[in-house]
Amino acid sequence: EVQLVESGGGLVQPGGSLRLSCAASGFTFGSSDMSWVRQAPGKGPEWVSGINIGGTRTRYVASVKGRFTISRDNAKNTLYLQMNSLEPEDTAVYYCAISNYNTREYTYKGQGTQVTVSS
C-alpha cells in the first residue's frame, strides 16, 4: 500500500521558515519523481515544486522560486520542502505526491500538513 505521510507544518509569522517532510513507503521511492502540491482555502490544488528521481533536477512555481527548496533523501525514502520568507499567501494544506517531473501530473498524494502564515 502506497503511503505518503507529511509532517512539519504549523503556524508561522510572515518572513518565517518551515521545513516539511514526507515519509514514503509502499512503492519504490528512489524510482519515482515527486512533487509538492498545495491547496489554499476555497481554491483548487496548485502544483508547487517537483524533483526528479535522482534529485538532480528541480522546478518551482514562479511564486515560490527563490524562497522554497525541494530535496530528497532516497536512502531514507523522504521528500523535503524547505520554505523560507513565508508569506500569508503561502497558507495552505501541503501535500507530497508521486508525479511526473515533466508533466507535473500526480497520481497519488498524502493526507497533507497545514501551513498557516499569519501575524
Side-chain angles (χ1 to χ4, degrees):
E1 178 187 3
V2 173
Q3 286 197 327
L4 297 169
V5 180
E6 301 92 340
S7 62
L11 173 63
V12 63
Q13 292 186 341
S17 298
L18 284 173
R19 189 193 195 202
L20 305 184
S21 298
C22 172
S25 61
F27 66 104
T28 308
F29 179 78
S31 297
S32 301
D33 295 335
M34 299 293 295
S35 288
W36 287 97
V37 177
R38 67 185 178 186
Q39 187 161 12
K43 296 186 178 181
E46 177 187 35
W47 176 89
V48 174
S49 180
I51 189 166
N52 71 334
I53 292 171
T56 57
R57 292 189 296 165
T58 59
R59 57 195 313 187
Y60 302 90
V61 68
S63 60
V64 309
K65 198 171 295 186
R67 300 188 297 121
F68 290 11
T69 302
I70 189 172
S71 61
R72 65 191 298 163
D73 186 335
N74 287 346
K76 295 182 178 180
N77 286 357
T78 304
L79 180 72
Y80 303 100
L81 186 68
Q82 177 67 45
M83 306 187 295
N84 298 329
S85 302
L86 283 161
E87 303 169 353
E89 293 73 23
D90 297 316
T91 294
V93 178
Y94 284 71
Y95 304 88
C96 70
I98 301 171
S99 65
N100 181 289
Y101 180 81
N102 293 315
T103 67
R104 307 183 184 184
E105 294 177 348
Y106 57 91
T107 55
Y108 192 91
K109 63 181 177 69
Q111 295 302 304
T113 185
Q114 175 71 48
V115 171
T116 302
V117 185
S118 175
S119 56

